[in-house]
Amino acid sequence: MAATPSTPPPSPAPPAPPAPPAPSVAPAPRQVPPVAGHAPWEAPGDRGPRTFPAPPPPAPPVAVPVETPTVQVPLPDEPAGEEREPGPDLTVEVSVPRPRTGFVGSRPPTYEPEPTALPVARPGGLAELVADTVLDGARYGTCTLRAASVRGDSARYRGEPRRDALLTARFGHDETALVLVAVAAGARAAEDAHLAAADACHWIAEAVCRSHARLSEDIRSGRRGDLKSGLHRLTDRTYGKLRARAAERGLAPEEYTATLRCLLVPADPECRTRVFFGIGAGGLFRLRDGSWQDLEPLLPEPAAVTGAPVVGFGSPPPAPEASEEGDRLTMDLGITTAPPLVEDPVPPPAEPFRFRASVARPGDTLLLASPGLAEPMRGEPALARELAARWADAEPPGLAAFLADTQLRVTGYADDRTGVAVWEA
């Protein structure tokens, strides 16, 4: 059987040539309609260039969010020898409220809440200028200290200097160190009241500095009698210097004086004794278990600080009876002698010395106040309640928050305010 030859497959068609590129066409320019009419600066009928509308105003910038404070949350402790696996970031963003200021009571005070007029400055007296506000703080042992002194609303309005003075100082080192806070308030009607208050704070601080080692030992050993007598002497010397400075300025003693209230806090964490001493009006309060306690020392009765005339030290013995001639003659000499030196009754001090030593408990808050803060604390219950609520937390407020707390305004109380608070851990 003859084989039939097979037909070869057809050859593939040649590929088509590529199409030529299309000619590029320039895009038509954007047609901007002209502005109807003429611009103000174009002359009528001017055939020059036309004025076109300005581009649209740019979009307002997007406000950048303010970074909020963050708190690092620690991971729980892992057993020793085990490696911690990398986990998610536990940083938590928390918002911190601004310090709250304002007023308490039925209506706001008349004066503005912020400073307005500055005190007048004179050539040669620039060193006597006083800042409107003083703020300080520290932490020693188991206590945290906050102190603030603010010019009153009345003084801010009238352009008068702050009459309250505040001084904080540490004497010594380590556990034997002693912290002193001195608060002085000058007389309201005296022109140099702010200078007298500053002098009182500086002079009592110098006296305590020279005796701080003995005072610290007495506090930590509980020698209350030695403390009271020693601090009384130091305070008397301070007021003696104030009287001498008044004489130098040609002023009466009552025209150059100030109330003085001080607080001694040992840095030893094992000692919780807090010592208050001073002369003059003000307040000493303690916040315990959510309630305020008035710790102002009781004043002695007037009869306790006065007495009958006494014969002075070194006086001669009593003279014999007068002769018929009426002269006091000694026997056989016939010379006249001076009468014995008899001292007048000791004038009672304007304000007696105040002293109190108390032992703090954990959670207590001790408040030393000038008259401008003590008076509304006693006279406006709403202020005491508000401060008790703000200071109820175990953590003391920061400096800015404490300043806002002391500036809570009360109608009818516009004097300078100075407050020193001690939080016990």
Side-chain angles (χ1 to χ4, degrees), residues 4-24:
T4 304
S6 61
T7 306
S11 59
S24 60

Side-chain angles (χ1 to χ4, degrees), residues 149-199:
S149 183
V150 183
R151 189 163 54 134
D153 293 343
S154 176
R156 285 175 168 179
Y157 176 78
R158 303 177 189 276
E160 299 173 349
R162 175 171 49 88
R163 299 182 182 92
D164 280 7
L166 171 66
L167 185 146
T168 55
R170 173 180 63 90
F171 309 116
H173 303 277
D174 302 329
E175 295 182 352
T176 61
L178 189 63
V179 177
L180 166 72
V181 185
V183 175
R188 182 181 303 177
E191 182 179 356
D192 297 333
H194 61 292
L195 303 180
D199 285 342

Side-chain angles (χ1 to χ4, degrees), residues 261 276 283-285 293-296 356 366-368 378:
R261 307 173 72 82
F276 157 78
L284 181 66
F285 308 93
Q293 302 171 355
D294 196 336
L295 303 183
E296 188 69 15
R356 186 182 185 103
L366 191 65
L367 175 63
L368 177 67
R378 297 188 177 106

Side-chain angles (χ1 to χ4, degrees), residues 34-54:
V35 178
H38 296 276
W41 58 84
E42 294 179 343
D46 189 3
R47 307 183 65 85
R50 304 292 297 171
T51 301
F52 296 93

Side-chain angles (χ1 to χ4, degrees), residues 45-119:
D46 189 3
R47 307 183 65 85
R50 304 292 297 171
T51 301
F52 296 93
V62 180
V64 180
V66 179
E67 296 183 0
T68 56
T70 58
V71 176
Q72 298 288 339
V73 180
L75 291 172
D77 296 335
E78 296 289 344
E82 296 185 6
E83 295 184 358
R84 179 181 298 173
E85 298 181 358
D89 186 11
L90 297 183
T91 302
V92 180
E93 292 186 358
V94 295
S95 60
V96 179
R98 296 184 62 183
R100 296 173 295 164
T101 58
F103 69 93
V104 295
S106 58
R107 58 186 178 87
T110 305
Y111 296 104
E112 296 184 13
E114 298 297 335
T116 52
L118 291 172

